[in-house]
Amino acid sequence: MENGKSRLQQAQEDAEQVKDIMLDNMNKAGERAGKLDDLDDRADELLAKSKAFEKTANQVKQKKRWENKRMKIVFIAVGVVAALVIIGLIIFAIVDGTGGQ
């Protein structure tokens, strides 16, 4: 029986070791689950911030595009006015030069 008792004790010790290992694994799994939840929350927050950034970036892009178009229109208008003034001066010089002779 002595040998049978030691087998029983060995089986109980092995079972106790397995139990300890399983409890340790369960604790580690619980910690990982908590960390994964935190990571998931941070990912959701980052996604929300990226969407807000994208919206703001698109608004700034549209604003700058409109400002650029407006400046082109102003430069074209100034160029046309300058061209008209130059053409007017040339015509005035030609008319004045031929009319005085």
Side-chain angles (χ1 to χ4, degrees):
M1 271 315 208
E2 191 85 26
N3 207 4
K5 229 180 189 182
S6 66
R7 273 197 218 171
L8 180 60
Q9 280 181 327
Q10 184 63 37
Q12 286 177 338
E13 288 174 7
D14 289 346
E16 191 65 32
Q17 284 179 339
V18 169
K19 179 181 133 187
D20 289 342
I21 291 171
M22 289 180 67
L23 286 173
D24 188 43
N25 286 342
M26 286 178 58
N27 287 337
K28 288 180 182 178
E31 290 174 7
R32 278 193 299 267
K35 289 179 182 178
L36 286 174
D37 287 341
D38 290 343
L39 187 60
D40 191 38
D41 291 343
R42 288 175 35 199
D44 289 342
E45 182 180 339
L46 186 59
L47 179 63
K49 286 182 180 181
S50 71
K51 286 183 180 182
F53 175 78
E54 181 181 13
K55 182 179 177 183
T56 303
N58 283 335
Q59 288 174 345
V60 169
K61 182 175 142 183
Q62 288 176 352
K63 181 180 177 185
K64 291 299 178 183
R65 186 178 290 151
W66 171 246
E67 287 177 3
N68 190 25
K69 285 182 181 182
R70 192 171 63 196
M71 288 304 289
K72 283 182 182 179
I73 291 170
V74 168
F75 284 139
I76 289 171
V78 168
V80 167
V81 168
L84 290 174
V85 167
I86 290 172
I87 291 172
L89 289 174
I90 291 173
I91 291 174
F92 180 73
I94 291 173
V95 169
D96 191 38
T98 57
Q101 288 182 0

